[in-house]
Amino acid sequence: MGNKLNQERQGFSPLVIGIDAGGTRTRAVLATADDGRPVGEGAAGPGNALTVPLPQLTEHLAEAIGLAVPEPVRNRVVAVAGGFAGATDAAADEPGRRNALAALTVALHRLGIDAGPPVIGSDIEAAFASAPGAPADGLALVAGTGAVAMRITGRRGTVTVDGDGWLLGDDGSGFWIGRAAVRAALRMADGRGAPTVLAEAVGRELGVPADVLPGGASGGVAGGAVRRLSPEVVPGATADATGAPREQRPGAAPPLPEATAAGGESAGSGQAGVAGPGEGVSRDGGHEAAPSETGSSTAGGRSAGPVQSGGGDVAGGGPGGPAQTGVAGGPGSGSAGVAGGPGEGSAGPGRAGVAESAGRTRMAGGSGSAGVAGGPGPTGMAGGLGGGVAGGSGGHVAPPGVGRRSPLPHDHIPWSRAHREAYRRHLLPAVMAEAPIHLARLAPVVVAAARDAGDPVALAILDEAADQLTETVRALESRPGERVVATGGLLGPDGPLTGRLEARLRALGLTLDWVPDGCRGAVALARLAHGGRT
């Protein structure tokens, strides 16, 4: 260190290195120590200190730093700081920090850089320090290949939410979105999921033969299946393979009406409840249900009949018995939840209910909110931000998202059972052949399907991802007026989740500031370390 101080006195401009080592790549920036001006940059492979093997992590660091720092100036480096995915500065013996320190120390020694002990922190701490003014306190969020949020106090992370890796967490991340796309494609192929353009797009991305893709067997041109599977075919089985209306088959039962409507219009006026084959449906305005009707519920101002099985009690304005475990709430102020009691899901004024019709599951609400199962999490919270499935003025139909019931048989889609089986046989090995985290490369496929085709499944995936990230920030016990510094490929100025997340955070009284990565923050931390040593 003394040698470097002598160089400074002799007129050499000291330099610092900032490193941002994430789940996808490692970046190193060489900058001047006095003002942080970048003068060199290099990049290499992934730098997650927990998931990348130590020898490989060392190689990636040496490559990135070697590209950023020309050999003639390596003796002028006075401080090095790195923000690593999977590491934190909270404890010296933390495994990720230990791995990062070991790999970086070896890489610097290999390159002939002697700048004293490097500063090791998390990539999210570095990202937070990248905000204007290098703030010391606040909230940070990374949403790229993985996803993690952190409360920063004194430039150190004090509370961490998620960042638990592909197996256990990273909810709302690029990996999470990519996995959801594959799951949606597989569900469509085996008949459990809604038609979606993702089946074709994911198959093409993963090298599935064209002749087993949706529409491939019928000789359709590329993109034809995308048009045929666009949202208009989802609500009803009234289109054939070409998209033209088809007549009702002789002897076939007419399509079941959707037994849920906003503002009280549904298969008649005011019907709400659960309707399955052979089951009764509650009647207009809450009239008494016939004694033979089972598994149904009445939404309205009057009580249901005495014989209702399957948990179909009344929830609404009129008396419905002491156990309100029904599905629909009438125009009163009572509570209604799916498979839950009062308070697990709530329906405000208006009508709300659930209908299963030809495999469809839909929800609608009046001016209140309707929750599903009342459980924790973004899609199970009544009245939670983005959590109610249906609500708002007039009510909305929930889009067919991942894991929801298939709305229709696939006989109207040019994709035979044999070709769907072949699709699965090709898709699964292609997915399993790669590291799971590589599913993040399918996130742009989902974005394109949502943007270009208006695919409801893709849109639902992106909305759910934004919900997950919102809950991650909320878990930090955020306070109105706090700033959230965000980075990652999903949250840039044109990021697919930026607008969605900004709207949700705004409702919490939070503002979102974006930084491109943690390099600037790592440089700032290196400069602070240099200032503290001189």
Side-chain angles (χ1 to χ4, degrees):
M1 193 66 188
N3 184 42
K4 298 189 182 306
L5 292 176
N6 289 333
Q7 292 176 3
E8 291 180 41
R9 295 190 189 101
Q10 295 170 11
F12 290 98
S13 174
L15 302 171
V16 297
I17 299 173
I19 300 165
D20 179 31
T24 302
R25 64 174 179 168
T26 299
R27 289 189 60 208
V29 171
L30 179 68
T32 56
D34 53 352
D35 59 6
R37 177 174 51 88
V39 293
E41 183 177 327
N48 188 303
L50 282 181
T51 61
V52 178
L54 200 57
Q56 189 176 350
L57 179 61
T58 303
E59 291 294 331
H60 293 168
L61 288 167
E63 181 182 355
I65 296 171
L67 292 171
V69 188
E71 188 171 354
V73 301
R74 290 176 185 174
N75 63 343
R76 291 166 50 189
V77 177
V78 296
V80 179
F84 289 78
T88 178
D89 195 26
D93 60 346
E94 190 270 327
R97 183 185 189 282
R98 194 168 56 239
N99 291 345
L101 179 60
L104 183 54
T105 300
V106 171
L108 291 171
H109 178 74
R110 184 182 301 175
L111 295 170
I113 297 174
D114 179 16
V119 177
I120 302 295
S122 72
D123 59 338
I124 195 167
E125 289 167 336
F128 185 78
S130 295
D137 305 289
L139 307 176
L141 173 68
V142 174
T145 302
V148 58
M150 186 177 289
R151 176 172 289 282
I152 308 293
T153 304
R155 296 195 171 88
R156 290 189 175 185
T158 54
V159 180
T160 303
V161 177
D162 205 352
D164 299 327
W166 65 268
L167 182 62
L168 301 175
D170 285 352
D171 296 334
S173 67
F175 158 77
W176 185 96
I177 292 171
R179 181 186 60 181
V182 175
R183 295 180 70 184
L186 290 171
R187 278 167 168 73
M188 177 181 170
D190 63 24
R192 292 181 295 157
T196 170
V197 303
L198 292 174
E200 179 181 356
V202 167
R204 291 187 183 280
E205 182 68 24
L206 295 178
V208 173
D211 61 348
V212 301
L213 296 174
S218 63
V221 297
V226 170
R227 288 189 292 273
R228 285 192 292 273
L229 299 182
S230 59
E232 60 265 20
V233 307
V234 174
T238 57
D240 62 15
T242 66
R246 65 177 180 181
E247 296 181 357
Q248 180 70 36
R249 298 175 188 168
L256 291 175
E258 295 174 8
T260 306
E265 297 181 9
S266 152
S269 69
Q271 297 179 1
V274 174
E279 298 177 347
V281 181
S282 57
R283 297 304 175 191
D284 182 352
H287 293 284
E288 295 182 359
S292 61
E293 294 179 341
T294 62
S296 62
S297 57
T298 297
R302 301 184 186 177
S303 61
V307 182
Q308 288 190 327
S309 62
D313 293 316
V314 175
Q324 293 186 328
T325 58
V327 176
S333 59
S335 297
V338 178
E344 292 190 11
S346 64
R351 302 186 188 276
V354 175
E356 292 188 9
S357 171
R360 279 194 295 275
T361 300
R362 298 190 172 220
M363 295 202 172
S367 59
S369 299
V372 179
T379 57
M381 299 180 58
L385 184 62
V389 170
S393 178
H396 300 281
V397 175
V402 177
R404 293 189 174 94
R405 300 287 295 276
S406 173
L408 302 168
H410 290 300
D411 58 353
H412 67 293
I413 297 171
W415 204 17
S416 69
R417 172 61 73 179
H419 284 86
R420 285 187 273 140
E421 287 296 309
Y423 175 90
R424 289 175 54 83
R425 287 195 300 270
H426 284 283
L427 187 68
L428 287 170
V431 172
M432 302 304 177
E434 300 185 12
I437 199 68
H438 290 170
L439 289 177
R441 69 185 176 92
L442 296 176
V445 172
V446 179
V447 174
R451 180 191 62 228
D452 301 336
D455 182 77
V457 174
L459 288 165
I461 290 173
L462 296 181
D463 284 338
E464 175 66 7
D467 287 342
Q468 295 284 357
L469 294 177
T470 302
E471 290 306 308
T472 298
V473 172
R474 191 204 297 265
L476 293 172
E477 299 180 352
S478 56
R479 298 181 291 272
E482 286 192 293
R483 179 171 64 173
V484 180
V485 177
T487 190
L490 298 175
L491 296 177
D494 299 318
L497 300 185
T498 304
R500 291 173 168 86
L501 185 62
E502 282 181 331
R504 288 160 169 80
L505 293 181
R506 194 177 304 118
L508 297 176
L510 304 174
T511 58
L512 187 69
D513 290 335
W514 178 79
V515 296
D517 54 40
C519 285
R520 180 184 296 178
V523 166
L525 295 175
R527 293 176 62 213
L528 287 170
H530 171 59
R533 294 171 184 169
T534 57

